[in-house]
Amino acid sequence: VDRENTFMLSDQVINEDDLPLERHTLSFQLSGKFISIGEFLEEQNNKFENIFLNQCEFKMDSLDPRGVIAQLELIYTVIKND
């Protein structure tokens, strides 16, 4: 985990190395119908409380005139247990 991709839980930090909240980036691409991708995102949002949509970019699928391609970036947040 990159130090710049980590957050503190409070303003009071005892030690600079004490970073209790870690953030991991998940990037992937989905292709399909726009509604199906939306349903997938909604299901993930309802199922997982530690995963958040950070970025989503849609473009038309050149191989499927009714399809889209979504480039997704999700953030997984976890509290470190030292």
Side-chain angles (χ1 to χ4, degrees), residues 14-52:
I14 299 169
N15 183 344
E16 282 188 29
D17 294 329
D18 187 22
L19 302 172
L21 189 60
E22 293 179 349
R23 202 171 72 162
H24 304 272
T25 303
L26 309 167
S27 297
F28 55 96
Q29 185 174 323
L30 294 177
S31 61
K33 306 291 185 256
F34 183 81
I35 296 296
S36 298
I37 293 173
E39 289 172 347
F40 168 81
L41 291 172
E42 184 176 6
E43 182 180 326
Q44 299 313 301
N45 188 48
N46 293 334
K47 188 183 285 187
F48 302 106
E49 61 185 44
N50 299 28
I51 297 178
F52 305 96

